[in-house]
Amino acid sequence: MCGIVGYVGPQSALDVVLEGLRRLEYRGYDSAGVAVLADGGTATAKKAGKLANLEKVLADSPLPESTTGIGHTRWATHGGPTDRNAHPHLSVDGKVAVIHNGIIENFAALRAECEATGVEFASETDTEVAAHLLAKQYAETPQGPGRLAEAMRAVSRRLEGAFTLVASHADEPDTLVASRRNSPLVVGVGDGEYFLGSDVAAFIAHTREARELGQDQVVEIDRRRGLTVTDFGGTVVEPTAYTVDWDAEAAEKGGHDWFMLKEIAEQPQAVADTLLGRLGDDGQLVLDEVRLSDQELRDIDKVFVVSCGTSYHAGLIAKYAIEHWTRIPVEVEVASEFRYRDPVLDRSTLVVVISQSGETMDTLMALRHAKDQKARVLAICNVNGSTIPRESDAVLYTHAGPEVAVASTKSFLAQIVACYLVGLVLAQVRGMKYADEVAAIVEDLRRLPDAVSQVLTRMEPVRELGRSLADADTILFLGRHVGFPVALEGALKLKELAYIHAEGFAAGELKHGPIALIDRGTPVVVIVPSPRSRGSVHGKVVSNIQEVRARGARTIVIAEEGDDDVLPYADHVIRVPRTPTLLAPIVTTVPLQVLACEIADTRGYDVDQPRNLAKSVTVE
Ligand code: M6R
């Protein structure tokens, strides 16, 4: 949610900043803007719409050469996506430039305070108050090194809400300062140059050396003085250093038309990498960071899985596996509801938070609520060093690599694998499964990358089907057992990419109301469980296909190889390899991703950057 880039060093700041913005555009694309410090002043350009619009503006009216600059891509919260509301925002004298990610919750009071002193606001944003407050505070701060950082600390102490702020001052042309609370910020350290970014993609083309900024900290990057980090009170702190384990190429499209297609194609690797090194020589499963003892894990008597969007769907799948393997009750809840209903939590509750980005505000707040109630928190996350894993008691990273397309694909599959591993760890620690039983399931997991590869080789008919569905008004998705969350995910993918009304249902629920939606030709995608599934769930789903077909539906069936029971009732069959029931979502999800992508592409939409969305949602 909003991409932030800052640069201080010998290169052309504008080039570095624009390149960073290109890589961060997935975070928000309502407008974009830049500011550079040159000739004793601040030169800015900003434009509503995608970054390409700003680039056109810059081509017509170039900014002066500079070695210090900031840039922003916006996902609008306060004030519409207009030129005026695009960042950077300037102080009245034009000397301070500010970019911001987050929401300053007390901005109305601060705005009134500024207006009372005669400040006229140029935008409707909450951000602009920071520019005016900073200019005032700077004027009141004694001259000397670190003056802008000191002013930033004073302003930050007054702000409520979530913010990453980056600011420059025309009188300090070699300096940038940034402040963070509840919003992400990383620093890149190059050779005589420094970078600021909402995430490492902002500077990965230049350096892999990064510093993680903690909560309520301010950083100054200065060409001569280097890097200084303090807390909001001014006490110097040593930031955590780390080396980014992927390179710039990982964040390129690599010959694919869309990042999403590349990321779909990377899924076998994402699944394999998430499993890699997780099974120790003694058959014991290994988590990345566990600040919980085996005894604490043994004491757990209830699990909550809390997450949003696609990550929530991974949680729904986790429930089936964790309950089956551990017999511990599991509740799954969307993070935005969790803390507001006062869930029953205590020391023996494990809250598993799942987040690709590690910075989703709803999930972060749920995590903090769980910790306040003394629950143990385990994070499943794709972005190293992000806030959610940092604040959790235990972490399992999904090694899916950078996911740029707004629609989650490879991170979803990796999250499901990670959830299976959590289930197996719990089962093992609690003595519900012997090491050899766990190893047998891990062997099944190890076959998944090949199974996903097989699915991917058969996607041409799915693309063709997608093209034929591009004019549909409604597409419904049905599934039972673990197929139900897959149906929800298929519907979400289609909504977010193709803007088609889509809904996922538990197949058995259909007859209780939603079946009324079925009209002649309504496409209905059915995820059919394996004929080897427990109970008669397979037969029930085959009956559900017949029910919708009898009412005129066009049935699209995802079924295991060799399952011929579906043939009489399927208008289209998409085959997936035979896979153990609990693991089947790893293969059945893939055609749904491809289908949504193809439909969106056929309708002429931007698959990677769907309207109104942003990759990581850092506001509640
Ligand atoms: O980064 P997170 O996994 O916490 O993000 C959660 C959701 O915002 C995310 O899964 C969203 O639903 C995706 N756009 C779905 O494709």
Side-chain angles (χ1 to χ4, degrees):
M1 198 133 284
C2 297
I4 281 183
V5 191
Y7 177 72
V8 172
Q11 305 188 56
S12 156
L14 189 60
D15 290 350
V16 174
V17 164
L18 285 174
E19 183 190 16
L21 289 183
R22 267 175 229 124
R23 292 182 194 276
L24 289 187
E25 203 183 8
Y26 67 91
R27 299 180 65 90
Y29 30 85
D30 290 339
S31 63
V34 288
V36 294
L37 298 185
D39 312 324
T42 305
T44 64
K46 44 195 207 169
K47 194 72 195 157
K50 294 203 172 182
L51 183 60
N53 297 359
L54 174 69
E55 288 175 320
K56 274 189 212 118
V57 171
L58 289 167
D60 293 343
S61 328
L63 295 185
E65 271 307 308
S66 168
T67 54
T68 303
I70 57 178
H72 188 265
T73 68
R74 179 167 186 247
W75 186 83
T77 56
H78 290 62
T82 60
D83 291 355
R84 248 158 72 83
N85 290 332
H87 301 210
H89 292 285
L90 301 180
S91 56
V92 174
D93 61 6
K95 288 195 168 192
V96 171
V98 171
I99 53 178
H100 169 219
N101 173 25
I103 293 180
I104 298 170
E105 286 170 2
N106 57 337
F107 88 98
L110 295 171
R111 181 172 172 137
E113 177 187 312
C114 292
E115 283 172 337
T117 65
V119 172
E120 280 185 29
F121 275 70
S123 76
E124 295 122 48
T125 64
D126 52 336
T127 306
E128 195 183 336
V129 293
H132 299 307
L133 291 176
L134 202 51
K136 180 166 180 286
Q137 194 65 44
Y138 186 83
E140 291 167 5
T141 305
Q143 287 190 356
R147 183 178 175 188
L148 187 57
E150 180 54 34
M152 178 61 102
R153 282 190 286 273
V155 170
S156 299
R157 289 194 293 268
R158 300 197 57 202
L159 303 181
E160 290 167 17
F163 51 87
T164 299
L165 289 166
V166 179
S168 61
H169 195 290
D171 294 350
E172 302 199 20
D174 293 325
T175 309
L176 290 178
V177 298
S179 165
R180 97 162 265 264
R181 169 181 290 165
N182 291 335
S183 251
L185 178 64
V186 278
V187 185
V189 180
D191 190 8
E193 56 186 354
Y194 298 92
F195 306 81
L196 300 170
S198 310
D199 64 55
V200 295
F203 50 75
I204 193 66
H206 302 276
T207 181
R208 290 164 70 175
E209 289 310 309
R211 303 286 181 274
E212 203 178 287
L213 225 66
Q215 180 73 335
D216 285 4
Q217 292 184 353
V218 165
V219 58
E220 178 198 75
I221 53 173
D222 180 278
R223 274 191 85 175
R224 276 158 292 121
R225 289 194 304 278
L227 170 80
T228 314
V229 180
T230 67
D231 62 19
F232 282 179
T235 305
V236 174
V237 289
E238 194 55 45
T240 311
Y242 66 103
T243 305
V244 182
D245 59 2
W246 48 271
D247 56 21
E249 223 176 276
E252 309 282 353
K253 280 190 200 154
H256 293 271
D257 288 345
W258 300 109
F259 276 107
M260 183 177 172
L261 285 174
K262 176 186 173 235
E263 289 158 7
I264 288 173
E266 286 171 343
Q267 293 186 113
Q269 198 59 49
V271 171
D273 288 351
T274 301
L275 287 167
L276 198 71
R278 256 67 202 254
L279 192 63
D281 293 341
D282 51 0
Q284 296 288 315
L285 282 158
V286 189
L287 296 178
D288 293 305
E289 294 166 31
V290 195
R291 296 173 278 274
L292 293 174
S293 66
D294 280 5
Q295 189 55 48
E296 283 169 316
L297 290 175
R298 271 194 283 275
D299 288 344
I300 284 161
D301 59 15
K302 176 151 192 187
V303 175
F304 278 94
V305 187
V306 183
S307 42
C308 306
T310 290
S311 300
Y312 167 68
H313 297 154
L316 291 174
I317 293 166
K319 175 181 169 78
Y320 292 87
I322 298 176
E323 285 189 340
H324 181 68
W325 288 330
T326 67
R327 311 311 300 149
I328 309 173
V330 179
E331 274 191 49
V332 189
E333 192 153 352
V334 286
S336 53
E337 290 295 322
F338 180 71
R339 72 179 168 134
Y340 296 107
R341 69 168 182 84
D342 197 13
V344 181
L345 303 164
D346 60 30
R347 269 171 211 292
S348 48
T349 313
L350 178 70
V351 177
V352 178
V353 289
I354 309 176
S355 175
Q356 187 285 131
S357 59
E359 59 180 67
T360 299
M361 186 58 75
D362 290 319
T363 310
L364 178 61
M365 290 303 160
L367 177 168
R368 288 185 181 159
H369 179 76
K371 290 197 80 176
D372 285 349
Q373 305 295 306
K374 310 283 180 250
R376 318 294 180 178
V377 179
L378 185 155
I380 292 177
C381 184
N382 196 40
V383 178
N384 267 62
S386 51
T387 311
I388 286 174
R390 248 202 343 255
E391 296 196 12
S392 298
D393 299 307
V395 184
L396 184 62
Y397 283 109
T398 50
H399 296 302
E403 192 176 67
V404 176
V406 165
S408 300
T409 52
K410 61 177 180 172
S411 68
F412 178 60
L413 261 55
Q415 286 169 345
I416 302 171
V417 169
C419 289
Y420 294 144
L421 292 174
V422 168
L424 292 175
V425 166
L426 287 174
Q428 188 166 279
V429 167
R430 299 162 64 85
M432 301 296 293
K433 291 237 175 290
Y434 293 114
D436 57 338
E437 291 176 287
V438 171
I441 299 171
V442 171
E443 271 318 300
D444 286 336
L445 289 169
R446 286 203 172 119
R447 283 191 269 275
L448 291 177
D450 277 348
V452 177
S453 297
Q454 279 182 46
V455 178
L456 288 171
T457 60
R458 304 172 188 166
M459 284 301 97
E460 194 40 50
V462 176
R463 280 187 209 104
E464 204 181 307
L465 175 65
R467 292 191 282 276
S468 78
L469 291 172
D471 292 329
D473 297 327
T474 292
I475 301 185
L476 305 181
F477 294 76
L478 309 183
R480 273 183 195 247
H481 193 260
V482 287
F484 171 42
V486 173
L488 294 176
E489 177 60 10
L492 176 62
K493 286 280 99 65
L494 195 67
K495 280 183 266 205
E496 68 178 336
L497 296 174
Y499 322 146
I500 290 178
H501 171 243
E503 284 191 65
F505 296 108
E509 267 300 290
L510 202 71
K511 58 187 176 295
H512 298 291
I515 200 162
L517 289 169
I518 311 260
D519 208 343
R520 187 135 305 278
T522 304
V524 179
V525 181
V526 188
I527 296 100
V528 181
S530 161
R532 301 177 311 287
S533 305
R534 284 158 68 89
S536 49
V537 66
H538 171 265
K540 297 260 163 53
V541 174
V542 175
S543 302
N544 298 140
I545 305 173
Q546 295 175 56
E547 285 156 17
V548 294
R549 200 152 191 258
R551 286 157 180 86
R554 175 178 172 189
T555 53
I556 299 152
V557 168
I558 300 182
E560 211 177 80
E561 280 154 3
D563 178 0
D564 292 340
D565 296 350
V566 297
L567 291 178
Y569 319 110
D571 293 307
H572 308 268
V573 183
I574 300 169
R575 291 292 184 191
V576 291
R578 285 178 65 140
T579 309
T581 303
L582 280 171
L583 313 189
I586 297 288
V587 289
T588 51
T589 303
V590 177
L592 305 183
Q593 299 166 338
V594 173
L595 194 70
C597 185
E598 191 67 31
I599 295 176
D601 192 49
T602 309
R603 288 164 73 97
Y605 298 143
D606 186 330
V607 168
D608 287 337
Q609 296 179 345
R611 69 184 180 198
N612 303 338
L613 297 178
K615 182 72 180 160
S616 49
V617 185
T618 52
V619 292
E620 268 191 280

